[in-house]
Amino acid sequence: MASRLTEISLDCHDPDLLADFWCAVLGWVVVHREPGLVEIGPERVEDQALLDAVRAGPVCPTIFLAKVDEPKAVKNRSHFDVSPVDVSQEEEVERILALGATHADVGQTGEESWTVLADPEGNEFCVLRSLAPGHFSL
């Protein structure tokens, strides 16, 4: 059997701030919190249930937000892409901006089908096309 992607880790200055932001964006919850480290995910899952799910196939990974002292210095090497499922792309961008995101310029031309934003610590991410009925297009 191959390994499964079960967690994504992000270094940040304020794990609690980013946990609140990403939980609001994704509709997730805090799964675990300790000083300097917060885990978020779609729901809290007991270890045995998680193991059973992972063995059955891919699962949605949780995100660990870990406090580091060094500042972000350059563009992310990896980033999140989110897809609206109930509203248009434009409506989702406005909602996420209201949660504390900002527009980010990473050299896009303006012809892209996605919108680049940055979370409250400046980590870039993209809002892709909407998957909502009536808004979906390739």
Side-chain angles (χ1 to χ4, degrees):
M1 170 188 287
S3 295
R4 302 277 194 245
L5 178 62
T6 57
E7 291 138 9
I8 298 169
S9 297
L10 292 178
D11 293 342
C12 60
H13 274 288
D14 189 339
D16 294 306
L17 172 72
L18 283 190
D20 291 345
F21 174 79
W22 283 109
C23 281
V25 169
L26 300 171
W28 284 12
V29 298
V30 171
V31 174
H32 177 81
R33 186 185 308 260
E34 60 187 70
L37 183 68
V38 181
E39 180 185 11
I40 63 173
E43 61 185 343
R44 184 177 306 276
V45 178
E46 297 301 321
D47 287 346
Q48 187 59 53
L50 177 60
L51 177 59
D52 293 342
V54 168
R55 284 184 171 152
V59 296
C60 182
T62 60
I63 299 172
F64 278 88
L65 302 159
K67 181 172 178 46
V68 298
D69 293 327
E70 300 81 22
K72 179 181 182 283
V74 297
K75 182 182 176 300
N76 309 16
R77 289 190 176 259
S78 62
H79 68 267
F80 298 131
D81 289 337
V82 298
S83 298
V85 295
D86 296 319
V87 298
S88 70
Q89 180 186 38
E90 296 78 18
E91 291 170 303
E92 186 66 352
V93 166
E94 290 304 314
R95 184 184 78 83
I96 294 171
L97 288 169
L99 293 172
T102 56
H103 284 280
D105 182 355
V106 295
Q108 58 269 46
T109 65
E111 299 298 318
E112 293 81 6
S113 62
W114 58 87
T115 301
V116 183
L117 300 178
D119 70 19
E121 288 200 6
N123 302 301
E124 298 92 0
F125 65 97
C126 294
V127 181
L128 305 180
R129 70 186 187 281
S130 178
L131 301 176
H135 296 284
F136 180 79
S137 65
L138 292 176

